[in-house]
Amino acid sequence: MFQAPEIDMERTGKRIRQLCVLNGYSVRDLQRYLLIGCPQSIYNWYHGKTLPSLDHLFGLSVLLHIPMNWLLVAEPSVCRQQQKRRFTRIPQMRRMDSYRHFGRNCGR
């Protein structure tokens, strides 16, 4: 059965903190850049208590020059299930490649 991915909040917070430190951004820098009134929100992200909103996640990705999904860490059990599922789909994809003739008549 398919299970929707879940975000590991603690590991996501650690990743965000690590990337900010590596790029030389302090909590105060993030607070100014993201227009956050209280730095406690950022500390909550770092400790895995909360996640950044979509707007803040996008702002972090722009500031750090990385895609948004690289900031998020999925639960390990879900990642293993997705890998197993991906490998079971490969034969189906190969079968679909044999239907190339469908694309030839589309523009007529």
Side-chain angles (χ1 to χ4, degrees), residues 30-49:
L30 293 178
Q31 183 183 355
R32 285 188 206 133
Y33 178 75
L34 298 171
L35 303 174
I36 297 174
C38 177
Q40 192 61 38
S41 299
I42 298 167
Y43 288 113
N44 286 338
W45 302 343
Y46 285 177
H47 296 292
K49 294 179 182 176

Side-chain angles (χ1 to χ4, degrees), residues 59-77:
L60 287 170
S61 73
V62 170
L63 180 68
L64 300 171
H65 304 287
I66 58 173
M68 287 172 44
N69 61 332
W70 286 13
L71 293 170
L72 303 172
V73 180
E75 291 284 343
S77 61

Side-chain angles (χ1 to χ4, degrees), residues 86-102:
R86 182 179 61 203
F87 290 129
T88 58
R89 288 184 177 184
I90 289 175
Q92 294 172 350
M93 286 188 248
R94 287 184 183 149
R95 281 194 303 245
M96 291 302 292
D97 288 341
S98 64
Y99 296 109
R100 292 185 189 151
H101 64 277
F102 285 133

